[in-house]
Amino acid sequence: MKKIIISLFAAGLLLTSCGRDITSLNDDPKNPSEVNTEVMFTSASVGLVSQMTTPSVNFNNYRFFTQQWTETQYIDEAVYNLVKRSVPDNNWNRMYSQMTKLELARNTVNSLSDASLKASRIAVIEALEIYIFATLVDTYGNIPYSQAIQVDKYPTPAYDDAKTIYADLIKRADAALTALESNSSAGFGSYDPIFGGNNEKVKLFLNTLKLRMGLNLADVNNALAKTTVESAYSKGVVLTNAQNIGLKFSSSGQFTSPVYQEMVTSGRNDFIPANTFVDVLNASNDPRRAKYFTLKDGAYVGGLYGKQNVYANFSHVNESFLVADSMAYLFDAAETRFMLAEAAERGYSVGGTAATHFTAGIQASLDFWGVAPAEQAAYLAANNYVTLPGTWKQKIGNQAWIAAYNRGFEAWEFSRRLDFRTFVKPGSRAVPLRMPYPVNETSVNNTNRTNAAVAQWGAVTGDVQGNKVFWDVN
């Protein structure tokens, strides 16, 4: 762990500069003046997890998309004014910035004479790049892909078809898995804060990512969805909390948890749990309430979603989330189990029934949060898959949403794929089904941005947050 912290510190200037200045995207990735491969990879890893984790209203609004949190005094983000703080631009820039760093690392790895080490490191780089591209597609739709991160050749990159990107990402994941099967070298070793040089964790990550991507394809290409999901499961996905994949932030310095930074060191009281989420847990006497929220006058009270709220009048995010050196996860067992329950309902072979995976998903979440055995038993009995009311999408979706508290992007994926709950818009703007393209793209790459909008929605005016990405057809 000491070496990882040292490498994180060395990566500090990289992370800081990427948060404030994206002109580095114009650097020539093929002829860098000086590249420390390990530091570059570490920086990209931390940058990716930080972007997926931060609650900063300037960079990541996912927690509002399924109305788990709301705001207090300033409510633009809760009412889905995404462009006021340039969130589509900032998210886009941060994600592509991590890709740039990964490509810089790849360029130096390609010169290694040790074939096994080279193959393992390329596979780990591929794992993170596939995750980033899939997340960008799920967030925006068509995106620059084949011409991305090649500023010297393509200063205004074309946008590729999102469905085509997905198919290629699955092929890339399979190729990376094959490479890992035949190479035992420990990748980036202690400079890897996510996988720690453990190739088995990289395999779990890639297969679980394939599981998610395969399910996203279910309504648009069921044949590919089925083979992708089944191959992912057969080769091994995250099934237990011991296998959860993420990284641990530092206890001090600039690599503390982004949640801690935004909610403790900032000195601000901008976020509280939303009534749209808290009321659902209250209705089922969910034992995770004590783990998720603080009490307000002996009860769990959520702030009114999309309205101004006085911070002192409501429950707050539990202090267990506000730890400087907390863990942040890209995949966990509860999420995977609910995906497998969905896969079983779709008729895919995933080693169990929807009911068994559903129960295992709730169990994984309750275990993770340290819920007492007696409370676990009572909750599981009251949430029996067979006897619960609603459609299978509602049953699975609602429990996945509850388990994915504080993991906004993951909850949003379930929400759009299963449509298990209607999130009422709190103002005049649509509940986001995607992020609009960055405003800056209309200045620097407008022809390709326009072509992408027309290709997906029939007109450039289709580039709005109420329209859907390609796989969200139901």
mmCIF file of all heavy atoms in Angstrom, residues 353-377:
data_model
loop_
_atom_site.group_PDB
_atom_site.id
_atom_site.type_symbol
_atom_site.label_atom_id
_atom_site.label_comp_id
_atom_site.label_asym_id
_atom_site.label_seq_id
_atom_site.Cartn_x
_atom_site.Cartn_y
_atom_site.Cartn_z
ATOM 1 N N THR A 353 -31.571 -19.041 -10.571
ATOM 2 C CA THR A 353 -32.831 -18.414 -10.954
ATOM 3 C C THR A 353 -32.815 -16.940 -10.606
ATOM 4 O O THR A 353 -31.942 -16.467 -9.865
ATOM 5 C CB THR A 353 -33.999 -19.083 -10.228
ATOM 6 O OG1 THR A 353 -33.874 -18.814 -8.814
ATOM 7 C CG2 THR A 353 -34.013 -20.584 -10.464
ATOM 8 N N ALA A 354 -33.795 -16.224 -11.127
ATOM 9 C CA ALA A 354 -33.926 -14.814 -10.757
ATOM 10 C C ALA A 354 -34.087 -14.672 -9.254
ATOM 11 O O ALA A 354 -33.508 -13.772 -8.629
ATOM 12 C CB ALA A 354 -35.111 -14.193 -11.498
ATOM 13 N N ALA A 355 -34.852 -15.576 -8.648
ATOM 14 C CA ALA A 355 -35.112 -15.497 -7.210
ATOM 15 C C ALA A 355 -33.831 -15.701 -6.398
ATOM 16 O O ALA A 355 -33.583 -14.973 -5.427
ATOM 17 C CB ALA A 355 -36.164 -16.531 -6.809
ATOM 18 N N THR A 356 -33.014 -16.683 -6.789
ATOM 19 C CA THR A 356 -31.801 -16.938 -5.999
ATOM 20 C C THR A 356 -30.804 -15.783 -6.128
ATOM 21 O O THR A 356 -30.184 -15.391 -5.138
ATOM 22 C CB THR A 356 -31.132 -18.252 -6.434
ATOM 23 O OG1 THR A 356 -30.809 -18.201 -7.840
ATOM 24 C CG2 THR A 356 -32.041 -19.435 -6.169
ATOM 25 N N HIS A 357 -30.651 -15.242 -7.320
ATOM 26 C CA HIS A 357 -29.729 -14.117 -7.481
ATOM 27 C C HIS A 357 -30.272 -12.857 -6.803
ATOM 28 O O HIS A 357 -29.511 -12.071 -6.229
ATOM 29 C CB HIS A 357 -29.477 -13.851 -8.965
ATOM 30 C CG HIS A 357 -28.579 -14.855 -9.618
ATOM 31 N ND1 HIS A 357 -27.321 -15.134 -9.145
ATOM 32 C CD2 HIS A 357 -28.764 -15.654 -10.708
ATOM 33 C CE1 HIS A 357 -26.753 -16.050 -9.924
ATOM 34 N NE2 HIS A 357 -27.609 -16.390 -10.865
ATOM 35 N N PHE A 358 -31.581 -12.665 -6.875
ATOM 36 C CA PHE A 358 -32.222 -11.516 -6.229
ATOM 37 C C PHE A 358 -31.964 -11.540 -4.723
ATOM 38 O O PHE A 358 -31.539 -10.538 -4.128
ATOM 39 C CB PHE A 358 -33.713 -11.545 -6.521
ATOM 40 C CG PHE A 358 -34.527 -10.466 -5.862
ATOM 41 C CD1 PHE A 358 -34.623 -9.206 -6.429
ATOM 42 C CD2 PHE A 358 -35.228 -10.718 -4.682
ATOM 43 C CE1 PHE A 358 -35.389 -8.214 -5.830
ATOM 44 C CE2 PHE A 358 -35.999 -9.736 -4.089
ATOM 45 C CZ PHE A 358 -36.080 -8.475 -4.665
ATOM 46 N N THR A 359 -32.210 -12.693 -4.106
ATOM 47 C CA THR A 359 -31.977 -12.830 -2.666
ATOM 48 C C THR A 359 -30.503 -12.635 -2.330
ATOM 49 O O THR A 359 -30.156 -11.974 -1.346
ATOM 50 C CB THR A 359 -32.452 -14.215 -2.181
ATOM 51 O OG1 THR A 359 -33.861 -14.345 -2.452
ATOM 52 C CG2 THR A 359 -32.208 -14.383 -0.686
ATOM 53 N N ALA A 360 -29.632 -13.173 -3.186
ATOM 54 C CA ALA A 360 -28.193 -13.012 -2.952
ATOM 55 C C ALA A 360 -27.778 -11.552 -3.082
ATOM 56 O O ALA A 360 -26.857 -11.100 -2.390
ATOM 57 C CB ALA A 360 -27.412 -13.877 -3.946
ATOM 58 N N GLY A 361 -28.451 -10.808 -3.955
ATOM 59 C CA GLY A 361 -28.156 -9.387 -4.097
ATOM 60 C C GLY A 361 -28.508 -8.604 -2.847
ATOM 61 O O GLY A 361 -27.719 -7.764 -2.368
ATOM 62 N N ILE A 362 -29.691 -8.861 -2.311
ATOM 63 C CA ILE A 362 -30.077 -8.189 -1.055
ATOM 64 C C ILE A 362 -29.126 -8.596 0.062
ATOM 65 O O ILE A 362 -28.656 -7.758 0.838
ATOM 66 C CB ILE A 362 -31.526 -8.541 -0.686
ATOM 67 C CG1 ILE A 362 -32.504 -8.043 -1.750
ATOM 68 C CG2 ILE A 362 -31.877 -7.933 0.683
ATOM 69 C CD1 ILE A 362 -33.951 -8.430 -1.483
ATOM 70 N N GLN A 363 -28.822 -9.895 0.129
ATOM 71 C CA GLN A 363 -27.931 -10.394 1.175
ATOM 72 C C GLN A 363 -26.563 -9.736 1.096
ATOM 73 O O GLN A 363 -25.985 -9.333 2.123
ATOM 74 C CB GLN A 363 -27.777 -11.914 1.035
ATOM 75 C CG GLN A 363 -26.971 -12.557 2.148
ATOM 76 C CD GLN A 363 -27.779 -12.707 3.423
ATOM 77 O OE1 GLN A 363 -28.759 -13.454 3.455
ATOM 78 N NE2 GLN A 363 -27.392 -11.996 4.476
ATOM 79 N N ALA A 364 -26.031 -9.609 -0.128
ATOM 80 C CA ALA A 364 -24.714 -8.987 -0.296
ATOM 81 C C ALA A 364 -24.722 -7.553 0.198
ATOM 82 O O ALA A 364 -23.769 -7.092 0.842
ATOM 83 C CB ALA A 364 -24.288 -9.050 -1.763
ATOM 84 N N SER A 365 -25.804 -6.824 -0.092
ATOM 85 C CA SER A 365 -25.900 -5.439 0.356
ATOM 86 C C SER A 365 -26.009 -5.352 1.871
ATOM 87 O O SER A 365 -25.333 -4.545 2.525
ATOM 88 C CB SER A 365 -27.098 -4.753 -0.302
ATOM 89 O OG SER A 365 -27.233 -3.420 0.133
ATOM 90 N N LEU A 366 -26.862 -6.186 2.462
ATOM 91 C CA LEU A 366 -27.033 -6.174 3.920
ATOM 92 C C LEU A 366 -25.736 -6.561 4.619
ATOM 93 O O LEU A 366 -25.352 -5.957 5.635
ATOM 94 C CB LEU A 366 -28.153 -7.132 4.320
ATOM 95 C CG LEU A 366 -29.568 -6.798 3.804
ATOM 96 C CD1 LEU A 366 -30.538 -7.917 4.160
ATOM 97 C CD2 LEU A 366 -30.060 -5.467 4.351
ATOM 98 N N ASP A 367 -25.041 -7.555 4.074
ATOM 99 C CA ASP A 367 -23.760 -7.965 4.661
ATOM 100 C C ASP A 367 -22.735 -6.840 4.559
ATOM 101 O O ASP A 367 -21.986 -6.576 5.513
ATOM 102 C CB ASP A 367 -23.218 -9.210 3.948
ATOM 103 C CG ASP A 367 -23.953 -10.481 4.336
ATOM 104 O OD1 ASP A 367 -24.639 -10.487 5.366
ATOM 105 O OD2 ASP A 367 -23.839 -11.474 3.580
ATOM 106 N N PHE A 368 -22.676 -6.206 3.403
ATOM 107 C CA PHE A 368 -21.704 -5.142 3.189
ATOM 108 C C PHE A 368 -21.876 -4.043 4.225
ATOM 109 O O PHE A 368 -20.891 -3.501 4.743
ATOM 110 C CB PHE A 368 -21.853 -4.564 1.783
ATOM 111 C CG PHE A 368 -20.888 -3.459 1.472
ATOM 112 C CD1 PHE A 368 -19.633 -3.744 0.971
ATOM 113 C CD2 PHE A 368 -21.222 -2.125 1.697
ATOM 114 C CE1 PHE A 368 -18.713 -2.723 0.696
ATOM 115 C CE2 PHE A 368 -20.317 -1.105 1.430
ATOM 116 C CZ PHE A 368 -19.061 -1.405 0.925
ATOM 117 N N TRP A 369 -23.115 -3.702 4.542
ATOM 118 C CA TRP A 369 -23.374 -2.606 5.475
ATOM 119 C C TRP A 369 -23.447 -3.058 6.923
ATOM 120 O O TRP A 369 -23.732 -2.249 7.813
ATOM 121 C CB TRP A 369 -24.654 -1.873 5.065
ATOM 122 C CG TRP A 369 -24.459 -1.127 3.786
ATOM 123 C CD1 TRP A 369 -24.963 -1.427 2.555
ATOM 124 C CD2 TRP A 369 -23.641 0.032 3.615
ATOM 125 N NE1 TRP A 369 -24.511 -0.525 1.614
ATOM 126 C CE2 TRP A 369 -23.701 0.378 2.245
ATOM 127 C CE3 TRP A 369 -22.866 0.813 4.475
ATOM 128 C CZ2 TRP A 369 -23.004 1.470 1.720
ATOM 129 C CZ3 TRP A 369 -22.172 1.895 3.961
ATOM 130 C CH2 TRP A 369 -22.247 2.222 2.596
ATOM 131 N N GLY A 370 -23.178 -4.329 7.172
ATOM 132 C CA GLY A 370 -23.098 -4.797 8.550
ATOM 133 C C GLY A 370 -24.423 -4.833 9.277
ATOM 134 O O GLY A 370 -24.489 -4.610 10.499
ATOM 135 N N VAL A 371 -25.497 -5.122 8.550
ATOM 136 C CA VAL A 371 -26.818 -5.221 9.172
ATOM 137 C C VAL A 371 -26.863 -6.478 10.041
ATOM 138 O O VAL A 371 -26.384 -7.555 9.646
ATOM 139 C CB VAL A 371 -27.920 -5.265 8.093
ATOM 140 C CG1 VAL A 371 -29.286 -5.525 8.717
ATOM 141 C CG2 VAL A 371 -27.924 -3.960 7.304
ATOM 142 N N ALA A 372 -27.438 -6.361 11.219
ATOM 143 C CA ALA A 372 -27.484 -7.464 12.171
ATOM 144 C C ALA A 372 -28.270 -8.647 11.605
ATOM 145 O O ALA A 372 -29.231 -8.454 10.845
ATOM 146 C CB ALA A 372 -28.123 -6.998 13.481
ATOM 147 N N PRO A 373 -27.892 -9.885 11.957
ATOM 148 C CA PRO A 373 -28.555 -11.077 11.407
ATOM 149 C C PRO A 373 -30.074 -11.086 11.574
ATOM 150 O O PRO A 373 -30.799 -11.477 10.657
ATOM 151 C CB PRO A 373 -27.902 -12.227 12.181
ATOM 152 C CG PRO A 373 -26.538 -11.702 12.519
ATOM 153 C CD PRO A 373 -26.735 -10.233 12.796
ATOM 154 N N ALA A 374 -30.568 -10.696 12.732
ATOM 155 C CA ALA A 374 -32.014 -10.722 12.957
ATOM 156 C C ALA A 374 -32.734 -9.750 12.024
ATOM 157 O O ALA A 374 -33.799 -10.067 11.466
ATOM 158 C CB ALA A 374 -32.329 -10.385 14.415
ATOM 159 N N GLU A 375 -32.138 -8.571 11.835
ATOM 160 C CA GLU A 375 -32.730 -7.597 10.918
ATOM 161 C C GLU A 375 -32.644 -8.086 9.475
ATOM 162 O O GLU A 375 -33.560 -7.864 8.675
ATOM 163 C CB GLU A 375 -32.019 -6.250 11.065
ATOM 164 C CG GLU A 375 -32.275 -5.534 12.377
ATOM 165 C CD GLU A 375 -31.575 -4.185 12.429
ATOM 166 O OE1 GLU A 375 -30.330 -4.160 12.321
ATOM 167 O OE2 GLU A 375 -32.275 -3.158 12.569
ATOM 168 N N GLN A 376 -31.556 -8.745 9.148
ATOM 169 C CA GLN A 376 -31.428 -9.313 7.812
ATOM 170 C C GLN A 376 -32.530 -10.323 7.543
ATOM 171 O O GLN A 376 -33.176 -10.294 6.484
ATOM 172 C CB GLN A 376 -30.058 -9.993 7.649
ATOM 173 C CG GLN A 376 -28.887 -9.057 7.537
ATOM 174 C CD GLN A 376 -27.650 -9.751 6.999
ATOM 175 O OE1 GLN A 376 -27.751 -10.774 6.319
ATOM 176 N NE2 GLN A 376 -26.481 -9.192 7.278
ATOM 177 N N ALA A 377 -32.733 -11.219 8.488
ATOM 178 C CA ALA A 377 -33.738 -12.271 8.310
ATOM 179 C C ALA A 377 -35.131 -11.678 8.118
ATOM 180 O O ALA A 377 -35.902 -12.124 7.256
ATOM 181 C CB ALA A 377 -33.719 -13.214 9.511
#
